[in-house]
Amino acid sequence: SEAVERREENGHQNKRLKRDADEEDAEEQNKKSPKRKIVLLMAYSGKGYHGMQRNVGSSQFKTIEDDLVSALVQSGCIPENHGEDMKKMSFQRCARTDKGVSAAGQIVSLKVRLIDDILEKINNHLPSHIRILGLKRVTGGFNSKNKCDARTYSYMLPTFAFAHKDHDVQEEVYRLDKETLEKVNKLLACYKGTHNFHNFTSQKGPRDPSAKRYIMEMYCGEPFVRENIEFAVIKVKGQSFMMHQIRKMIGLVIAIVKGYAAESIIERSWGEEKVDVPKAPGLGLVLERVHFEKYNRRFGNDGLHEPLEWTEEEEKIAVFKEQYIYPTIINTEREEKSMANWLNTLSIHDFNSSAVGMQANNKNSKNSSDLEGSDGCDDDSD
C-alpha cells in the first residue's frame, strides 16, 4: 500500500509539474506577444447572417462576429473568456451592418496578442466568405466607431429599376440610357449637404436634432452587364446614417424616375410633415469603406502609428468583391427577384398625401420590403 501511495504521489507531482510547465509556457508566450490595440480590415458576404453585431447568449441568429470571435480564440489571438465577454478585449466595430448586408471595408478595433503570421492564422479559422485583409497598430484609446468621421456605402441594383412605369419592360433586355442616368444623378445630388432625414427612418420626429445628417456625395456610376442583366452602383458618403436611411433615399429616387412621385417630394420630405417614403430592398447594400481623416492627421505621421489608409489592400478588396459580394447580389436577384417584386409595391404608396392614409399603405408594403432586413446603417446606434 505504501508503494501505491508513493506512485500516486509521484503521479500527482508529475501532473503538477506538467501543469506548472504549461502555465510557464503560456506565460512565456504571453510575454513574447503582449496584447496590443489594433484594427482589422474585414470583408464579408452578409447573406445568411443576421448582421455584423454579435448577440452573446443567442445562438439562434448567426452573425459575422460569431465567426470572427471564434477564429480569434482558435488562432490564439485572444483568451477564450474574452470571446464570452468582448469588453475584455475592448472590441468595437465601425458600423453595425444588418441582416444580409455585405462589407468590403469594415473596420473593427480590439486588443490581441500579436502572434506570428496572425492574419494567416485568423483566416485559417474563418469561412472563405469572411476575410481579414489587413491589420494596423493604433493608439491605446482608439475606438473604431467613435473615431470614424465618415462612411461610404454602395448599392448595386439592376437598372430596370429606373424604367418608367408606363413602359412594358423586359428585365434582361432593358438598358439605361444617358438621359435617365443624368436624371438619376441630378436627383441623388439633391441629398448632398445637411438635411432633416426624419422621413427616411422610423421613430424619429421632425424636431429631433439627431435626424439631421450630412451627406458628402451621392452618385450613380456607369452601368455594366452581368449574367445578361444590366446593373449600376450608387455610392453614398456621409458622416453617419440612420436605420433604413440609404434604402429610403434610393427608394424615393426610383419612385420619382419611374413616374410615381413628383421631383418636389424630396424638398417636401425635409419639412415637418410626414411623407410616405418607400424603402428599397436590402440586397445590394455594401459597406465600402470607413474614413478616419481626423485620426490620420493627428497620429498617422507621428512616427509610431500608420495612417488608416488601405491602398496596399485595394487589390485584395476588389478581388473579394468580384468573388463573393457581386455574385451573391446578382444570383440572389436572379433567383429571388427582390427588386422586381419590390417595384410592384410602389403603386400602393401615396406620394401626394402626408400622414393621412399612410399607415394602411405601410402595412401593405411591409411584407415585401421588410423581409430584406434593415440596411444596418445605424452606425451611431440611434
Side-chain angles (χ1 to χ4, degrees):
S1 65
E2 280 181 21
V4 170
E5 280 178 21
R6 272 201 304 277
R7 272 202 304 277
E8 282 181 0
E9 199 175 310
N10 288 338
H12 287 312
Q13 274 184 331
N14 289 339
K15 277 183 187 170
R16 266 201 307 275
L17 289 168
K18 188 176 184 307
R19 194 168 63 240
D20 291 347
D22 286 347
E23 283 173 6
E24 277 177 29
D25 284 350
E27 233 171 87
E28 194 60 36
Q29 178 65 27
N30 288 348
K31 279 179 191 166
K32 281 183 193 168
S33 52
K35 276 204 218 157
R36 293 285 181 262
K37 181 61 91 60
I38 60 153
V39 294
L40 297 175
L41 172 68
M42 287 184 77
Y44 51 84
S45 171
K47 190 178 182 186
Y49 288 87
H50 277 257
M52 171 74 181
Q53 191 168 355
R54 194 169 185 227
N55 304 308
V56 179
S58 170
S59 56
Q60 189 185 355
F61 300 114
K62 192 180 176 193
T63 69
I64 300 290
E65 281 173 19
D66 286 328
D67 283 357
L68 174 62
V69 170
S70 173
L72 292 170
V73 171
Q74 288 178 67
S75 60
C77 296
I78 59 167
E80 200 159 337
N81 65 342
H82 283 31
E84 290 149 24
D85 182 2
M86 294 167 79
K87 285 180 189 158
K88 286 183 176 170
M89 55 170 157
S90 306
F91 186 93
Q92 188 58 260
R93 87 278 310 157
C94 197
R96 287 190 310 191
T97 56
D98 212 334
K99 181 184 172 187
V101 176
S102 299
Q106 171 74 282
I107 297 288
V108 298
S109 54
L110 67 160
K111 283 183 179 171
V112 297
R113 298 187 191 119
L114 285 174
I115 56 173
D116 295 335
D117 305 317
I118 182 168
L119 290 191
E120 188 185 340
K121 284 175 181 168
I122 298 171
N123 281 325
N124 284 343
H125 294 286
L126 282 169
S128 58
H129 56 266
I130 303 176
R131 292 288 92 179
I132 306 299
L133 301 179
L135 177 153
K136 289 184 193 287
R137 288 276 303 274
V138 285
T139 56
F142 184 86
N143 176 311
S144 60
K145 187 174 133 192
N146 297 344
K147 297 289 180 195
C148 179
D149 324 289
R151 294 141 176 106
T152 296
Y153 282 84
S154 68
Y155 188 87
M156 184 174 168
L157 76 170
T159 57
F160 64 72
F162 296 123
H164 197 277
K165 65 181 173 67
D166 296 337
H167 297 160
D168 185 26
V169 173
Q170 299 294 310
E171 290 163 11
E172 296 205 356
V173 178
Y174 182 82
R175 296 295 180 260
L176 187 67
D177 59 61
K178 193 181 168 194
E179 290 75 21
T180 308
L181 179 58
E182 281 174 6
K183 183 175 184 179
V184 169
N185 275 318
K186 190 182 101 178
L187 292 167
L188 292 173
C190 296
Y191 289 122
K192 291 202 286 191
T194 302
H195 300 287
N196 187 338
F197 283 96
H198 73 97
N199 274 308
F200 294 80
T201 189
S202 54
Q203 298 166 336
K204 279 210 191 297
R207 299 185 183 181
D208 188 334
S210 67
K212 285 203 169 153
R213 299 290 156 133
Y214 175 50
I215 305 297
M216 297 156 191
E217 62 177 8
M218 193 165 187
Y219 63 91
C220 182
E222 290 292 326
F224 52 92
V225 177
R226 294 285 167 91
E227 306 277 325
N228 295 330
I229 298 177
E230 187 180 67
F231 287 86
V233 174
I234 293 171
K235 288 264 179 81
V236 55
K237 180 181 179 182
Q239 268 179 343
S240 61
F241 300 93
M242 297 175 290
M243 185 73 83
H244 300 154
Q245 184 184 335
I246 294 174
R247 286 167 62 189
K248 280 179 170 274
M249 289 163 78
I250 291 166
L252 193 58
V253 166
I254 291 172
I256 295 167
V257 175
K258 289 191 79 65
Y260 287 104
E263 287 187 32
S264 58
I265 195 170
I266 294 183
E267 201 72 34
R268 188 153 58 90
S269 71
W270 312 140
E272 291 206 359
E273 69 170 307
K274 187 80 178 145
V275 175
D276 189 3
V277 178
K279 179 175 64 183
L283 180 71
L285 193 70
V286 179
L287 174 63
E288 284 286 332
R289 59 173 300 187
V290 287
H291 307 265
F292 298 95
E293 279 101 349
K294 282 181 201 153
Y295 174 87
N296 288 344
R297 280 199 296 273
R298 187 166 175 196
F299 298 107
N301 299 304
D302 65 357
L304 298 168
H305 306 95
E306 301 171 82
L308 295 182
E309 295 287 348
W310 306 95
T311 43
E312 287 174 28
E313 287 76 14
E314 269 171 18
E315 194 178 329
K316 283 193 229 168
I317 292 169
V319 168
F320 184 88
K321 285 200 283 193
E322 289 293 340
Q323 271 188 318
Y324 294 100
I325 295 179
Y326 292 159
T328 300
I329 293 170
I330 293 160
N331 295 334
T332 307
E333 181 58 53
R334 285 182 70 88
E335 289 161 22
E336 298 175 14
K337 299 196 175 296
S338 59
M339 180 56 77
N341 292 335
W342 175 77
L343 291 172
N344 290 332
T345 70
L346 284 176
S347 59
I348 61 176
H349 285 271
D350 187 351
F351 296 103
N352 297 317
S353 71
S354 52
V356 184
M358 277 183 56
Q359 287 177 329
N361 288 336
N362 287 341
K363 274 180 191 167
N364 288 334
S365 61
K366 192 175 176 32
N367 293 335
S368 59
S369 58
D370 281 3
L371 286 172
E372 297 301 330
S374 62
D375 59 9
C377 300
D378 51 342
D379 309 309
D380 47 5
S381 303
D382 282 346

